[in-house]
Amino acid sequence: MIERYAFGNVLETGAVVCKPGCAEGAVPFLETEEAGRRFSFHMGSGDRVYGLGENVRGINKRGWIYESRCIDDPYLLESRRYLYGAHNFLLVDGSVRFGVFFDCPGYLAFDIGYTRASLLTVTAEEPDLDVYIITGDSLTDIVRQFRTLVGRSYIPPLWAFGFGQSRWGYRSADDIREVVRRHRELGLPLDSVYLDIDYMERYKDFTVNAETFPDFAAFNREMKDQGIHLVPIIDAAVKVEKGYPVYEEGLEKGYFCKKADGTPFVGGVWPGNSVFPDVLNADARRWFGQQYKRLLDQGVEGFWNDMNEPSVFYAADRLEQVRGQLEELKDRPADGGLYHELASMPQKLSNPLEDYKTFYHNIDGVPVRHDRVHNLYGCYMTRAAGEAFERLLPDRRILLFSRSSAIGMHRWGGIWQGDNHAWWSHLLLNIKMMPSLNMCGFLYTGADLGGFGADTTEDLLLRWLAFGIFTPLMRNHSCEGTRLQEAYRFENPNGFRHIMGLRYRLLPYLYSEYMKAALDGGMYFRPLAFDYPDDPHAPQVEDQLLLGESIMVAPVYRQNADGRYVYLPEPMKQVRFRPDGSVEEQVLSQGHHYVAIPIDEVVLFLRPGRLLPLAAGGCNVDQVDFQNLTCIAFPANGRAVYEYYHDDGITKDYENPANRRTLRVSEDQ
């Protein structure tokens, strides 16, 4: 059951697809204070709190303060309270069980047992929000109801489930050709190559550098002939430049965010001085989405939206203030005081939390200060593109994912988990973040495999890929200036070939489970506690995940480890994929086991009565045979059953009954 309680003057966020009527009386489970600014729940000692999507720390969120404040902060440290997304959905499980969604476009703080161990307190900066309370028979039932409330998750094209290679630093068509050539020569699967800001003409959105990519449409055709899709980046900021059509059109129509005096807000990002499309304005959103056609017409079938918190390196007005302060300091004698003044200048220059209060959106003719709706910006940038694709190519799927997001954006695109680092702790964070994102509707997601910042190592990349083969978005991405980390750069190409190739053998199962989760409102990844509510050990296990109806994964995430301990809440079949292509199967009893997992092997666990369909594999998705499958089975009571989903991967004929069939294996087969 879902009940809605409204507070103040609610700004529409677009998160909910079918808003129920407003309930009366006190909000169940929550004590409401200060006219809707504070909501509290007294937790029992054994209560667990799940959710909040993209965030730091564990699957159980108790013991920390989390904030909804989308910010470009690349370090993803355990001390952080907010990352790139604002996902205000919580599940409380213990003496009582309920879900709560705070539909709010601005700042929220979630103190989940930090100030007082037994108290969950949610504080809103503005007392204008809807609160939804959801009750049900189980955690998965509550999630399913919530997902119905907020709408079906985005569905990408089938090719987007293949492996993608990316790096900030691929500067030319020849750089891309070299990446593709090396993958093909070594038999390393590859479906897509991502283009970071280097492909643009001086970092201008929807442009291509004509010197380094002299005929971009022809280059797209060349790549598609080799089974490769190019996926360019689009940033939120539009360069201020006379003669640049996107800037001049938007300026003429008044489609950029404005300061209080009515002039465009100007901030510095990669292109230098830039303006920001007012994507919360319906007309401006339609106009900005239409700009993607410039690249669609050249053969592009996928995009990733970035810098859309929005990231602001400096506000132009603040830059002038700092320049004036520097001028005043030029005659100061050099001493410790001068050093500290100069050292503080970057903080004075870039202060987005203050800058966000200096510009406005036009929402249905009403000026709304940006900080009140800040968390919606990345969401609505991606919505602009998604709506445009529905107009321009209504029957075709286009790959689309974003860095910044809020609940509601999950209908228009996926996300990647931001600028992580080549740290073992970030591999573990990737594992723990997946079910939390799935609860909030974000199914098409994954992290930068190997780490974006810092220098990766061969063992870290192999272990990360061994988890990444299970995530819907599987992309190796790294930062300019870090170690080159394409798989072919390392000493063990056989290990990479085996692990990356296994992704393509698993694709029939992975795609089937993704589509069922999207169409039926389920979760692709789940914590063990969701399926084993009566097992006292299951809630303590946060480094193993259930994936779909058949399997459990237990990745290795420690440096120099040759295996790990695994907890089985019931007997399971251990399935080991060896580099020589062989598969070893062994039934293990319920309980704790040490499992050896060499660096070039992948181990998963098959649940009783279930099937794991496998394909022969291929060098890209087009080569995978999704019809002629082999199955690994773990029969229970004499049989194993699996509901298999497959469609054409291109169109939107999702509900066709022919897309689903039942696979069965009996013990006498």
Side-chain angles (χ1 to χ4, degrees):
M1 184 174 69
I2 302 176
E3 294 181 315
R4 177 173 71 93
Y5 299 83
F7 295 88
N9 298 312
V10 178
L11 280 165
E12 182 58 53
T13 67
V16 171
V17 295
C18 186
K19 184 175 290 191
C22 196
E24 297 181 357
V27 181
F29 309 112
L30 301 180
E31 296 178 4
T32 304
E33 308 168 49
E34 300 180 38
R37 287 186 185 271
R38 289 171 58 86
F39 304 85
S40 299
F41 172 73
H42 292 272
M43 298 181 289
S45 60
D47 289 359
R48 297 172 294 277
V49 182
Y50 302 110
L52 294 184
E54 183 182 67
N55 235 307
V56 297
R57 301 195 173 225
I59 293 176
N60 181 358
K61 297 300 181 185
R62 284 192 73 157
W64 191 239
I65 295 178
Y66 308 87
E67 300 178 8
S68 281
R69 193 198 305 267
C70 302
I71 292 290
D72 176 8
D73 187 336
Y75 290 101
L76 283 69
L77 299 174
E78 193 172 334
S79 58
R80 290 290 183 264
R81 294 182 175 180
Y82 43 77
L83 298 179
Y84 302 98
H87 307 142
N88 306 327
F89 175 59
L90 291 175
L91 275 172
V92 176
D93 185 38
S95 54
V96 296
R97 179 185 296 131
F98 67 96
V100 55
F101 172 48
F102 295 89
D103 191 6
C104 172
Y107 172 83
L108 288 172
F110 298 84
D111 184 336
I112 309 178
Y114 173 78
T115 302
R116 289 177 53 192
S118 62
L119 192 63
L120 187 162
T121 303
V122 181
T123 305
E125 192 167 62
E126 299 282 346
D128 304 312
L129 72 166
D130 279 341
V131 178
Y132 292 83
I133 298 293
I134 309 172
T135 54
D137 296 332
S138 65
L139 294 173
T140 52
D141 176 43
I142 292 171
V143 170
R144 198 175 302 276
Q145 291 184 65
F146 173 68
R147 297 272 300 286
T148 300
L149 177 72
V150 297
R152 189 175 68 198
S153 296
Y154 161 76
I155 296 174
L158 178 57
W159 63 261
F161 289 83
F163 176 72
Q165 179 58 49
S166 182
R167 183 172 173 86
W168 176 14
Y170 294 157
R171 290 187 168 80
S172 68
D174 285 341
D175 287 348
I176 306 302
R177 290 186 180 103
E178 176 68 5
V179 171
V180 175
R181 182 185 68 81
R182 294 294 299 275
H183 276 81
R184 294 292 185 244
E185 285 180 352
L186 289 174
L188 297 166
L190 184 67
D191 270 272
S192 55
V193 179
Y194 289 78
L195 307 180
D196 211 314
I197 55 177
D198 308 284
Y199 83 93
M200 301 179 187
E201 177 193 337
R202 291 181 290 117
Y203 306 136
K204 293 188 293 185
D205 274 349
F206 310 110
T207 68
V208 178
N209 187 325
E211 294 183 4
T212 53
F213 294 89
D215 188 336
F216 193 58
F219 184 51
N220 268 283
R221 292 193 295 272
E222 174 190 333
M223 289 293 99
K224 286 181 184 177
D225 287 343
Q226 299 182 57
I228 300 297
H229 294 80
L230 299 179
V231 184
I233 197 171
I234 302 294
D235 282 353
V238 171
K239 182 176 176 61
V240 173
E241 180 179 282
K242 289 184 178 180
Y244 170 33
V246 179
Y247 169 68
E248 292 201 332
E249 288 173 16
L251 189 66
E252 177 187 355
K253 295 177 183 295
Y255 285 162
F256 299 122
C257 294
K258 296 179 177 64
K259 298 188 295 184
D261 64 5
T263 61
F265 170 79
V266 177
V269 199
W270 295 118
N273 280 355
S274 304
V275 287
F276 297 83
D278 185 1
V279 289
L280 275 72
N281 175 297
D283 292 336
R285 183 165 67 250
R286 182 181 178 90
W287 167 80
F288 187 75
Q290 197 70 17
Q291 306 308 310
Y292 287 78
K293 187 175 186 296
R294 299 171 185 266
L295 294 173
L296 289 172
D297 288 347
Q298 298 180 72
V300 170
E301 296 177 316
F303 300 88
W304 49 308
N305 288 343
D306 196 10
M307 309 296 288
N308 54 352
E309 291 70 36
S311 180
V312 181
F313 295 168
Y314 61 83
D317 293 344
R318 189 183 298 275
L319 177 61
E320 292 308 309
Q321 293 174 7
V322 172
R323 280 175 168 164
Q325 292 167 352
L326 285 171
E327 183 69 21
E328 294 172 4
L329 292 174
K330 70 177 184 179
D331 295 325
R332 277 265 303 270
D335 57 17
L338 178 63
Y339 165 77
H340 287 291
E341 281 283 333
L342 292 172
S344 69
M345 286 299 171
Q347 286 73 34
K348 292 181 179 179
L349 183 62
S350 179
N351 190 348
L353 297 183
E354 290 302 313
D355 295 335
Y356 291 153
K357 298 177 181 179
T358 65
F359 62 93
Y360 292 78
H361 297 274
N362 175 3
I363 302 178
D364 298 328
V366 178
V368 178
R369 204 172 71 184
H370 174 80
D371 61 309
R372 293 195 62 210
V373 291
H374 166 71
N375 291 334
L376 298 181
Y377 192 87
C379 169
Y380 272 70
M381 177 189 174
T382 299
R383 177 175 173 176
E387 289 176 336
F389 301 155
E390 288 189 347
R391 294 191 304 269
L392 298 167
L393 298 162
D395 298 321
R396 194 172 184 87
R397 306 183 213 173
I398 301 296
L399 172 61
L400 181 62
F401 60 91
S402 171
R403 188 170 73 179
S404 182
S405 63
I407 290 174
M409 200 210 81
H410 70 284
R411 301 195 301 272
W412 306 103
I415 65 169
W416 92 100
Q417 292 158 20
D419 295 345
N420 63 2
H421 277 64
W423 300 338
W424 290 91
S425 61
H426 278 180
L427 167 53
L428 179 58
L429 180 60
N430 181 193
I431 296 166
K432 293 181 177 181
M433 203 181 287
M434 295 302 290
S436 300
L437 283 165
N438 283 187
M439 292 175 213
C440 297
F442 291 93
L443 299 181
Y444 190 76
T445 182
D448 288 341
L449 304 176
F452 174 72
D455 294 328
T456 199
T457 60
E458 183 167 3
D459 60 338
L460 175 57
L461 181 56
L462 281 165
R463 292 300 194 191
W464 215 324
L465 284 166
F467 176 64
I469 62 173
F470 297 106
T471 62
L473 171 59
M474 183 187 180
R475 180 179 75 152
N476 177 337
H477 181 46
S478 54
C479 181
E480 183 180 52
T482 63
R483 178 182 188 174
L484 297 170
Q485 66 183 47
E486 296 87 357
Y488 53 77
R489 305 280 183 185
F490 296 93
E491 293 181 328
N492 183 14
N494 291 334
F496 286 102
R497 187 184 304 111
H498 166 59
I499 291 174
M500 294 163 66
L502 182 57
R503 164 68 163 214
Y504 290 74
R505 295 180 67 188
L506 291 166
L507 267 182
Y509 179 77
L510 301 178
Y511 183 71
S512 174
E513 290 306 314
Y514 183 94
M515 294 302 295
K516 290 188 296 184
L519 297 173
D520 302 339
M523 293 172 63
Y524 179 88
F525 281 114
R526 301 181 307 284
L528 268 61
F530 280 44
D531 284 40
Y532 303 96
D534 298 325
D535 186 326
H537 302 292
Q540 304 303 315
V541 180
E542 296 202 346
D543 57 357
Q544 301 169 207
L545 301 175
L546 299 165
L547 194 173
E549 68 175 74
S550 294
I551 68 173
M552 182 183 75
V553 297
V556 175
Y557 54 87
R558 290 194 302 109
Q559 185 174 7
N560 298 320
D562 58 8
R564 56 160 294 167
Y565 283 94
V566 176
Y567 175 68
L568 304 184
E570 62 181 334
M572 292 186 182
K573 177 176 281 191
Q574 175 185 289
V575 182
R576 181 182 300 274
F577 295 91
R578 298 190 182 278
D580 62 4
S582 63
V583 180
E584 176 188 280
E585 303 173 31
Q586 179 185 3
V587 175
L588 300 180
S589 61
Q590 185 273 339
H592 297 273
H593 300 265
Y594 181 81
V595 179
I597 308 176
I599 193 72
D600 55 2
E601 293 186 3
V602 174
V603 173
L604 58 81
F605 300 87
L606 184 60
R607 302 175 69 182
R610 313 300 168 91
L611 290 175
L612 174 63
L614 297 172
C619 282
N620 63 10
V621 169
D622 286 344
Q623 294 184 1
V624 176
D625 184 347
F626 286 85
Q627 300 304 322
N628 298 300
L629 307 173
T630 59
C631 289
I632 298 175
F634 184 22
N637 299 319
R639 67 189 188 115
V641 180
Y642 179 69
E643 183 190 28
Y644 179 57
Y645 179 100
H646 189 68
D647 57 25
D648 65 13
I650 300 170
T651 64
K652 299 178 180 179
D653 186 22
Y654 307 130
E655 305 295 345
N656 188 333
N659 294 341
R660 300 193 189 223
R661 60 190 173 101
T662 301
L663 307 179
R664 292 183 175 87
V665 170
S666 60
E667 284 187 317
D668 55 3
Q669 286 182 285

